[in-house]
Amino acid sequence: MAFRRKIKTLKSQKEEWIRHNQQESEEEQNKELEALSSDVFENETVLKSTFSDCPDVIFRRFLIGNETKAFLIYTEGLANIEELDKNVLSPLMQQDTARLTDIQAILEQKLSVSKVNPVNTIKQAIQEISSGNPVILIDQQTHGITLGLAKWEKRAIEEPVAESVVRGPRDGFTETLSVNITLLRRKIKSPDLKMKSLTVGRYSQTQIVYMYIEGIVDHHLLDEVHNRLSRIDIDGVLESGYIEEFIEDYPFSPFPQILNTERPDVAASSLLEGRVVIIVDGTPFVLIAPTTLYSLFQASEDYYQRFMIGTLIRWLRYIFILIALLLPSSYVAILTYHQEMLPTTLLLSVAQSREQVPFPALIEAIIMELTFEAIREAGIRLPKQVGSAVSIVGALVIGQAAVSSGLVSAPMVMVVAITGIASFAIPRYNASTAIRMLRFPMMVAAGTLGLLGIMLGILTIIVHLNTVRSFGVPYLSSLAPMKGEEMKDVLIRAPWWSLRKRPRLTGYSNTNRQQEGQKPDPLKGTE
């Protein structure tokens, strides 16, 4: 047996060695095939075959100084043609350019374009052309020039609809990567704000940039973010939701483990806490990692109002979360198993309203909740002009008709309405969706086991939340594990002059946020 095991080990090692050598030889051949040729027409033939049936990709032959052969490739609609004609073609075709045979000399003396880079392979040229940057290839040169003249239609900066505030900045991210980076640069004007980029998607070639503040972020977190992003291999990435599903820790958890936002101020505040912001080209939603459960229930406006108001609103929000999760299940449990908990007058009133209802409380609650969710989803998908009217009128009409026909009781309509309003108070849509999703198993548990089922459901949720991590950070931090200093920004919103420490995420680097002794004191400085 030992001899056979040894033979199998040797065979597997031999197969691995052969596979490794084949892979290396294939990589070397690909590198040789992808290298640009010194013959400009050979490069043109390869690129034209690559972009066959692509009439929007333009190939323009011209002579540099009426002597040197060259050609220009750009994508119509993605390149700035006016700047290309004025600052590239016109100076290169002048007679005095003939004496310039070196690409570096051409770059320094003739091209009045701020961003130019060398291109050494066919693959690089294809990527630049597809991204909107024109490429110039010159005869007898083994590398070309890419010009930063990409230009396309972009949406104006507007206030995010899903994260509106009464007091706070009104700008929001857009679908353009460079604009989003600029918005963060406006918030944090420090050279310590660093960024790294990579490309994901075999066909979409989507550019992804993750940003962090050097000296605040923990480098173990940076390495983990880079490793998770770099191992993504998919044909296309069209939205940051693709990336979120690939890099989260627990994909089968109903709770989101990565925060997404359209607000630059939320992203900037997360950077200042040592988090990493991931920006995906083509979407206004940026990702923030790591995150905690309490971050999903906090709004940016909590920090712009006075701390007493922020604390009050935060506590109201926690109460609304409990109502959105537990009110329908509590109603079902009390009516089904624990009628003695209701006062006699209220019990008689509820019993009278349910006298004509043919369904038990559990089925009644599920029907009403599904109807409310359908109306809410229809209101989201319909055009804005009619969406709100349909959702409000539909809820009123259907609720009144259901009560009049005896299918549901009036108290159940009130419970579902209060639950829906409470779920609207949750600032993050994905967190609200998780609460709405858990509402149904909680109702089933209440309908089968009563209050005992509700307690078992709550314990199951708490145990699950204690096992969830976001890039290694406990999901219930800073409550579990308990961190006294960081509790100032969890259950309450302490005044800014007392928030001296940054939250500990994955390291202890640069924990001091501000100097000590900044509490307002009118007598300070008069002594």
Side-chain angles (χ1 to χ4, degrees), residues 364-495:
E364 182 186 9
I366 291 177
I367 291 174
M368 284 304 299
E369 285 291 345
L370 288 176
T371 304
F372 187 84
E373 293 297 331
I375 294 174
R376 171 159 35 189
E377 189 67 18
I380 294 174
R381 305 305 165 198
L382 284 172
K384 292 182 179 180
Q385 293 80 0
V386 296
S388 59
V390 168
S391 60
I392 296 172
V393 174
L396 292 174
V397 171
I398 291 176
Q400 182 62 36
V403 172
S404 301
S405 61
L407 293 177
V408 296
S409 61
M412 178 57 72
V413 175
M414 288 189 60
V415 167
V416 173
I418 294 172
T419 304
I421 293 173
S423 65
F424 288 142
I426 302 176
R428 305 292 172 188
Y429 180 76
N430 51 3
S432 173
T433 305
I435 298 297
R436 288 157 50 193
M437 186 188 307
L438 291 173
R439 191 184 301 155
F440 290 95
M442 291 294 292
M443 286 190 296
V444 173
T448 54
L449 298 175
L451 292 179
L452 177 61
I454 295 178
M455 294 306 299
L456 289 176
I458 294 174
L459 288 175
T460 302
I461 294 174
I462 292 175
V463 170
H464 170 71
L465 291 175
N466 275 280
T467 60
V468 174
R469 298 288 187 273
S470 175
F471 282 82
V473 177
Y475 202 51
L476 293 181
S477 179
S478 304
L479 185 61
M482 179 74 72
K483 300 174 183 176
E485 181 68 24
E486 297 178 17
M487 290 296 293
K488 295 179 180 179
D489 195 23
V490 175
L491 298 180
I492 64 172
R493 206 284 273 176

Side-chain angles (χ1 to χ4, degrees), residues 135-152:
V135 172
I136 297 176
L137 299 180
I138 303 172
D139 195 23
Q140 302 304 318
Q141 298 288 337
T142 58
H143 58 278
I145 306 170
T146 175
L147 310 169
L149 293 178
K151 180 184 178 181
W152 53 81

Side-chain angles (χ1 to χ4, degrees), residues 169-440:
R170 303 294 180 181
D171 54 347
F173 289 120
T174 69
E175 289 78 10
T176 307
L177 181 65
S178 58
V179 173
N180 296 340
I181 294 174
T182 303
L183 288 174
L184 282 178
R185 285 286 185 191
R186 287 179 57 190
K187 302 291 182 183
I188 303 177
K189 305 177 181 67
S190 171
D192 290 330
L193 179 60
K194 309 294 184 182
M195 67 184 72
K196 293 183 181 179
S197 64
L198 62 159
T199 302
V200 178
R202 292 192 294 266
Y203 293 100
S204 65
Q205 294 291 308
T206 305
Q207 189 176 2
I208 299 176
V209 171
Y210 61 95
M211 305 181 69
Y212 58 94
I213 297 182
E214 185 70 37
I216 295 180
V217 71
D218 184 74
H219 287 279
H220 294 93
L221 173 62
L222 277 182
D223 295 338
E224 185 65 23
V225 170
H226 181 79
N227 291 335
R228 295 191 188 187
L229 290 175
S230 59
R231 68 174 178 233
I232 298 175
D233 186 8
I234 190 174
D235 53 358
V237 174
L238 304 180
E239 215 275 335
S240 58
Y242 287 47
I243 304 300
E244 183 177 354
E245 290 195 30
F246 274 107
I247 64 176
E248 61 185 357
D249 292 60
Y250 293 84
F252 295 105
S253 173
F255 294 94
Q257 297 125 57
I258 297 175
L259 182 67
N260 64 77
T261 183
E262 290 184 83
R263 297 189 61 86
D265 57 331
V266 174
S269 65
S270 300
L271 288 169
L272 293 171
E273 290 182 346
R275 292 180 168 89
V276 176
V277 172
I278 303 171
I279 308 176
V280 181
D281 190 20
T283 174
F285 289 91
V286 306
L287 306 178
I288 300 172
T291 190
T292 61
L293 179 66
Y294 311 107
S295 300
L296 301 173
F297 300 143
Q298 296 172 357
S300 60
E301 198 173 2
D302 295 349
Y303 302 94
Y304 305 146
Q305 303 283 0
R306 301 184 70 243
F307 69 93
M308 290 180 290
I309 300 174
T311 301
L312 174 62
I313 294 175
R314 187 167 292 183
W315 272 101
L316 288 175
R317 198 176 294 133
Y318 288 147
I319 294 172
F320 292 151
I321 292 168
L322 293 177
I323 291 174
L325 178 63
L326 301 177
L327 182 58
S329 55
S330 300
Y331 179 81
V332 170
I334 291 173
L335 285 189
T336 307
Y337 295 100
H338 312 284
Q339 296 90 347
E340 68 278 1
M341 296 181 64
L342 294 178
T344 304
T345 306
L346 178 60
L347 180 60
L348 291 175
S349 176
V350 173
Q352 183 180 1
S353 64
R354 297 196 73 255
E355 187 175 0
Q356 302 297 326
V357 177
F359 305 112
L362 175 60
I363 303 301
E364 182 186 9
I366 291 177
I367 291 174
M368 284 304 299
E369 285 291 345
L370 288 176
T371 304
F372 187 84
E373 293 297 331
I375 294 174
R376 171 159 35 189
E377 189 67 18
I380 294 174
R381 305 305 165 198
L382 284 172
K384 292 182 179 180
Q385 293 80 0
V386 296
S388 59
V390 168
S391 60
I392 296 172
V393 174
L396 292 174
V397 171
I398 291 176
Q400 182 62 36
V403 172
S404 301
S405 61
L407 293 177
V408 296
S409 61
M412 178 57 72
V413 175
M414 288 189 60
V415 167
V416 173
I418 294 172
T419 304
I421 293 173
S423 65
F424 288 142
I426 302 176
R428 305 292 172 188
Y429 180 76
N430 51 3
S432 173
T433 305
I435 298 297
R436 288 157 50 193
M437 186 188 307
L438 291 173
R439 191 184 301 155
F440 290 95

Side-chain angles (χ1 to χ4, degrees), residues 97-168:
T97 314
R99 57 185 178 83
L100 300 177
T101 58
D102 183 47
I103 286 185
Q104 188 63 32
I106 293 175
L107 294 179
E108 294 177 355
Q109 301 182 30
K110 285 298 176 182
L111 295 183
S112 55
V113 179
S114 59
K115 185 178 179 181
V116 291
N117 292 305
V119 176
N120 299 315
T121 64
I122 294 291
K123 183 178 180 180
Q124 290 179 355
I126 294 172
Q127 288 178 345
E128 294 294 338
I129 295 168
S130 301
S131 299
N133 296 317
V135 172
I136 297 176
L137 299 180
I138 303 172
D139 195 23
Q140 302 304 318
Q141 298 288 337
T142 58
H143 58 278
I145 306 170
T146 175
L147 310 169
L149 293 178
K151 180 184 178 181
W152 53 81
E153 296 297 326
K154 59 184 70 174
R155 182 169 63 93
I157 298 174
E158 301 171 350
E159 181 180 4
V161 177
E163 299 179 68
S164 59
V165 295
V166 176
R167 179 177 181 178

